[in-house]
Amino acid sequence: MTVLQRVRRTMRGVRWYLAELTGETEYDRYVEHHKRLHPGEPVLSRREYERQRFERSAQPGARCC
Amino acid sequence: MKIKSVVTWTAVAIVGAVCWGVLALARGETISAIWLLGAALGSYAIAYRFYARFICKRVLEVDDTRATPAERLNNGVDFHPTDRRVLLGHHFAAIAGAGPLVGPVLAAQMGYLPGTIWIIVGVIFAGAVQDMVTLFFSMRRNGKSLGQMARDEIGVVGGISALVGVFVIMIILLAVLALVVVNALAQSPWGTFSIAMTIPIALFMGFYLRVIRPGKVIETSVIGVVLLLLAIVAGGWVAESSWASAFTFDPETLTLFLVIYGFAASVLPVWMLLAPRDYLSTFMKIGTIALLAIGVVIAAPVLQTDAVSKFAFDETGPVFSGELFPFVFITIACGALSGFHALVSSGTTPKMIEKESQIRLIGYGGMLMESFVAVAAIIAACILDPGLYFAMNSPAGATGGAVQSASEFVNSLGFVITPEELDAAAAAVEEDTLVSRTGGAPTLAVGMSDIFAQVFGGEGMRAFWYHFAIMFEALFILTTVDAGTRVGRFMLQDTLGNVYKPLGRVSWKPGLWFTSAIVVAAWGYFLWAGVTDPLGGINQLFPLFGIANQLLAAIALTVATVILVKSGKLKWAWVTAIPLAWDAAVTLTASWQKVFSDDPKIGFFAQRAQYSEALERGEVLAPAQDLDDMSTVVTNSTVDGVLSAFFAILVILVIGNAIIVCWRAVRATEPLPTTEEPWEESKIVAPSGLWPTAEEKRELAAVGAPAGGSGVRDSDESVGSGKDGGSS
């Protein structure tokens, strides 16, 4: 594996990690989950989904000292 | 393979033992911080490999054939199997806060050794055990909260005490953390400007995420972090311009601002302020902690403090009063054992874990990381000249607030610092003064700027790094204040909803304002009391905060011990019972001294008596300056004394109730019923640790999952879930 490929792979890994950590990929997971369990039903748009996500997180978890 | 592992672990053990040996034998000479790091990392590695594994295998009997709640109840929202590395990030971001940074700085008054020993030994046998065990028991109960588990497993008295305890402890926590921010920002236009700017930055990020680019969190966070760094640089310009006076406030005014901010933040929609701030503070937190760890390793600074100072054995320490036992343990708090983590371990994390065996990485490993942050903090405090350290951390009542009087006070303690040196230290970080900047944050910032300036950017960057460190601490303390106020409000709404129905409705505006106002008023009261206390708010309130946190840990360890005993594992109950006994001894001794000690420096009621008698005679006792100050002291010591007693009684109730339950369980011929969910088969294939073993790699390959990620066995779609991290 060349150095360039290694760098690319690492960058991809970092990006994947941050996207998972911040919940950016939550929408994709929702779409997949929804299509599998409720096939044929309409799926929320990204904008609508993100709004609902914030409503849900209105009750934040405890943060430590 | 076997031999390789034996060789490796022997080497790790030797490195750790040598570092401990150097720490133990070096006396009367300064030593490098590298030895502290080596002792910490070596001990963590051994504990993680052997003790944590023993607890998982023998005591808890984790079972990877058993499906976790994330797998069974997967709804894609709060329950969903999450990659272990991602979950470790989440969990760490939720447990790491200002506590492990501030506590060790204050504990440095007793020298670097007592604090370091407790941080390392405490985390291995108490803190990390508590986090992991709570995570495990909550996971086996579909992610139930600590309060709920206390009620189910111990009983109504235990449950209610735990619930009340959590609420009151939260209030004290918020007040003390807010006090740290106030002390760091008072009279500092640079710091105040930078922190004030985080509000428009967060509002902008919130708007951007909601309207312009929904869901693009990374992009938004990058913009936010850039703006944040700009705000720190701009703070330097503001401090030197004619605007400086507009951002220079006394502590009382800042308190008022914080209370107004806290109320506004808790009633505004989350997307506006809280969520974007949370992203910012998570990135800043992880980034800065990583920088600090790298900086300490590269700079390898020399510790200036004595290994054990004289304040460990007498009660005259100016930063906090009381002897080493129990007060060093109370003061360190979060870095070694933190009750608050039990709330995280029994909240979101157990609902997202993929495999039972991953509790070792996430619960135990996450807490080891937090403890490492505490070690870095104690290093940052101990590389300061002790004269400067005591000038910064002694209350204004003792130092008089001016460089001349502070220098004299420090000399009277037996350390040397000249007024010119104090002025030079303040000028180096472009602050007006460093005298009596209590609360730990400024001290840590000076230490961090010292380390960072050596590694990144040199002397010219010192002031920037100081304010960077202040910003980093203030930012995530304020995030804690936002989130904590909200959590407190929900708890209050929940409880009051039983009395008057509409109050329990989350969307009913008047109820929302009313309960928010109560929570803000409660912590605002203690914050105000701390800011105006002539004896020094940190000196008075920090022990209370430490006691509260450690008592919460006692509740969590009690719940864990009861569950072990009830499930027929009496012979392993010592794993949680020993840290519980130690923690109860520490906290109850501390509470006892805070309530009954004859020494007015320690006992709140002795202090009250001393000041109220003087007040009746019309006398003014230093450091109070007039009769108003005198009555402030009387009021504060009364409230603090009553609270100390109240905390102790709560915990005695919980432990008492638990002992009865354990007794019944031991006497019973069959195991008592617990609320564990029944076994169900797991189909997820995922590694236990950070790096997959050879065998785990084969299993992953068999289901077609990527090497580092996870996959699903024999399901309709027997393919890997495509989680492909940067692992190789």
Side-chain angles (χ1 to χ4, degrees):
Chain A
M1 201 187 284
T2 66
V3 178
L4 195 68
Q5 276 173 320
R6 267 176 193 280
V7 171
R8 275 213 188 118
R9 225 177 88 163
T10 311
M11 292 299 289
R12 249 206 334 269
V14 169
R15 204 190 140 76
W16 165 85
Y17 189 78
L18 291 179
E20 287 283 330
L21 195 67
T22 54
E24 241 188 66
T25 45
E26 215 177 90
Y27 179 69
D28 304 332
R29 200 163 52 235
Y30 153 77
V31 172
E32 188 213 0
H33 190 84
H34 193 86
K35 282 188 175 155
R36 198 172 32 160
L37 292 183
H38 315 280
E41 283 177 38
V43 180
L44 291 180
S45 73
R46 173 118 214 187
R47 192 170 293 264
E48 196 42 50
Y49 180 82
E50 295 296 338
R51 278 188 188 206
Q52 292 195 4
R53 186 175 140 209
F54 279 127
E55 304 302 319
R56 275 201 311 274
S57 63
Q59 183 161 3
R63 281 280 178 282
C64 181
C65 32
Chain B
M1 192 63 205
K2 195 90 179 163
I3 291 177
K4 196 175 137 199
S5 151
V6 171
V7 171
T8 314
W9 288 104
T10 311
V12 171
I14 290 173
V15 169
V18 167
C19 290
W20 277 116
V22 171
L23 289 182
L25 298 176
R27 283 294 169 275
E29 58 205 288
T30 53
I31 65 162
S32 165
I34 284 291
W35 301 109
L36 282 189
L37 288 178
L41 293 175
S43 310
Y44 294 160
I46 299 279
Y48 181 78
R49 169 65 179 75
F50 297 98
Y51 190 50
R53 191 180 147 100
F54 155 77
I55 296 176
C56 282
K57 295 234 148 143
R58 291 292 187 76
V59 181
L60 302 176
E61 297 178 271
V62 299
D63 177 3
D64 273 341
T65 66
R66 186 186 186 116
T68 60
E71 182 176 358
R72 282 183 288 114
L73 308 173
N74 186 358
N75 61 5
V77 186
D78 45 354
F79 288 94
H80 63 87
T82 304
D83 184 277
R84 66 202 182 286
R85 297 159 295 191
V86 174
L87 191 54
L88 177 64
H90 272 295
H91 185 76
F92 179 68
I95 64 171
L101 295 171
V102 172
V105 171
L106 303 183
Q109 141 168 291
M110 294 186 172
Y112 63 80
L113 209 48
T116 306
I117 293 177
W118 174 239
I119 291 171
I120 299 174
V121 174
V123 77
I124 289 173
F125 293 104
V129 174
Q130 176 213 262
D131 287 19
M132 178 170 75
V133 168
T134 310
L135 177 58
F136 176 79
F137 287 131
S138 175
M139 178 180 73
R140 282 273 172 105
R141 287 160 182 73
N142 290 347
K144 270 198 192 130
S145 70
L146 180 68
Q148 189 65 42
M149 286 197 287
R151 186 180 306 194
D152 291 351
E153 303 290 344
I154 303 179
V156 181
V157 176
I160 293 177
S161 310
L163 209 67
V164 174
V166 170
F167 184 75
V168 181
I169 288 163
M170 182 106 80
I171 298 294
I172 295 291
L173 168 95
L174 294 178
V176 171
L177 290 182
L179 184 57
V180 170
V181 173
V182 168
N183 286 351
L185 298 186
Q187 312 299 348
S188 165
W190 186 336
T192 309
F193 174 81
S194 313
I195 290 298
M197 280 304 112
T198 62
I199 298 173
I201 293 174
L203 289 173
F204 167 74
M205 288 169 67
F207 177 77
Y208 188 89
L209 256 181
R210 189 172 181 87
V211 179
I212 305 178
R213 302 265 287 165
K216 298 292 176 198
V217 183
I218 299 180
E219 185 183 305
T220 315
S221 303
V222 170
I223 298 175
V225 169
V226 171
L227 289 175
L228 202 65
L229 293 177
L230 203 66
I232 301 175
V233 176
W237 303 333
V238 166
E240 288 180 6
S241 73
S242 56
W243 287 12
S245 60
F247 288 96
T248 311
F249 298 107
D250 55 18
E252 285 85 354
T253 318
L254 284 170
T255 302
L256 207 63
F257 286 162
L258 266 185
V259 166
I260 295 171
Y261 167 77
F263 180 77
S266 90
V267 295
L268 282 178
V270 202
W271 63 266
M272 268 190 171
L273 202 54
L274 190 116
R277 271 191 97 95
D278 214 12
Y279 293 132
L280 267 189
S281 91
T282 304
F283 278 106
M284 283 286 283
K285 192 185 310 183
I286 294 178
T288 310
I289 287 172
L291 272 186
L292 182 61
I294 297 169
V296 169
V297 172
I298 297 180
V302 170
L303 303 173
Q304 306 283 344
T305 320
D306 286 338
V308 183
S309 80
K310 62 174 177 166
F311 301 122
F313 306 109
D314 59 24
E315 296 167 350
T316 59
V319 183
F320 59 93
S321 318
E323 289 180 35
L324 191 143
F325 183 88
F327 287 101
V328 88
F329 309 101
I330 293 295
T331 308
I332 297 266
C334 306
L337 168 63
S338 174
F340 251 79
H341 296 185
L343 301 183
V344 180
S345 291
S346 64
T348 44
T349 311
K351 298 175 183 160
M352 295 162 78
I353 210 156
E354 278 177 327
K355 281 301 215 196
E356 288 206 340
S357 60
Q358 291 172 355
I359 58 163
R360 178 158 71 124
L361 172 67
I362 292 157
Y364 204 91
M367 183 60 196
L368 290 181
M369 283 161 61
E370 165 116 330
S371 165
F372 183 74
V373 174
V375 171
I378 206 167
I379 290 175
C382 291
I383 62 173
L384 295 195
D385 178 71
L388 179 60
Y389 173 85
F390 284 106
M392 289 184 74
N393 287 290
S394 306
T399 62
V403 284
Q404 188 62 45
S405 50
S407 163
E408 282 160 18
F409 173 73
V410 170
N411 290 348
S412 77
L413 294 176
F415 299 96
V416 185
I417 191 157
T418 63
E420 294 73 35
E421 285 168 326
L422 277 173
D423 275 331
V429 295
E430 295 182 28
E431 283 285 291
D432 268 354
T433 179
L434 289 179
V435 172
S436 290
R437 300 298 293 271
T438 57
T443 309
L444 181 67
V446 171
M448 277 170 76
S449 68
D450 215 50
I451 295 169
F452 286 173
Q454 280 181 46
V455 181
F456 319 97
E459 219 30 53
M461 292 283 281
R462 191 182 279 269
F464 173 82
W465 285 123
Y466 173 85
H467 289 96
F468 178 86
I470 292 284
M471 158 73 100
F472 142 81
E473 288 172 274
L475 183 66
F476 68 78
I477 288 180
L478 289 183
T479 312
T480 305
V481 170
D482 287 2
T485 304
R486 252 169 213 275
V487 172
R489 181 186 97 205
F490 280 112
M491 289 170 68
L492 206 58
Q493 278 183 307
D494 221 32
T495 314
L496 294 182
N498 294 328
V499 185
Y500 178 61
K501 270 265 149 43
L503 275 178
R505 284 211 309 268
V506 184
S507 51
W508 190 53
K509 285 281 174 349
L512 195 148
W513 289 330
F514 173 68
T515 44
S516 294
I518 293 182
V519 174
V520 173
W523 63 255
Y525 168 78
F526 285 102
L527 174 58
W528 182 264
V531 163
T532 54
D533 197 315
L535 301 178
I538 287 293
N539 194 313
Q540 294 282 82
L541 286 178
F542 203 84
L544 214 54
F545 156 72
I547 291 174
N549 186 330
Q550 299 297 289
L551 288 180
L552 195 52
I555 294 177
L557 287 167
T558 305
V559 170
T561 309
V562 167
I563 296 180
L564 282 177
V565 172
K566 279 171 84 174
S567 47
K569 292 181 181 167
L570 183 63
K571 71 168 175 174
W572 297 126
W574 58 266
V575 168
T576 52
I578 289 177
L580 171 60
W582 170 258
D583 183 44
V586 165
T587 39
L588 293 178
T589 310
S591 307
W592 177 270
Q593 293 190 3
K594 281 289 169 197
V595 174
F596 294 110
S597 169
D598 299 332
D599 181 350
K601 272 181 163 328
I602 299 174
F604 283 124
F605 289 111
Q607 191 178 67
R608 178 184 193 279
Q610 187 193 27
Y611 279 79
S612 71
E613 281 161 21
L615 190 61
E616 271 169 32
R617 293 193 301 268
E619 285 173 31
V620 174
L621 298 179
Q625 303 203 329
D626 50 36
L627 291 178
D628 281 349
D629 276 4
M630 295 292 291
S631 35
T632 308
V633 173
V634 172
T635 316
N636 289 354
S637 50
T638 314
V639 173
D640 297 348
V642 169
L643 264 182
S644 304
F646 175 70
F647 286 154
I649 291 169
L650 272 185
V651 167
I652 292 172
L653 277 179
V654 176
I655 295 181
N657 195 343
I659 289 176
I660 298 173
V661 174
C662 287
W663 177 247
R664 258 193 244 135
V666 173
R667 296 280 308 258
T669 43
E670 284 171 27
L672 291 189
T674 77
T675 50
E676 194 170 283
E677 294 292 323
W679 186 90
E680 231 176 273
E681 194 190 358
S682 169
K683 293 196 164 97
I684 292 181
V685 180
S688 306
L690 209 48
W691 291 281
T693 62
E695 195 190 334
E696 285 168 344
K697 276 184 188 160
R698 275 196 298 279
E699 284 173 13
L700 285 167
V703 297
S710 54
V712 181
R713 190 184 296 138
D714 313 311
S715 108
D716 307 334
E717 11 150 23
S718 68
V719 285
S721 54
K723 286 174 183 171
D724 159 39
S727 70
S728 45

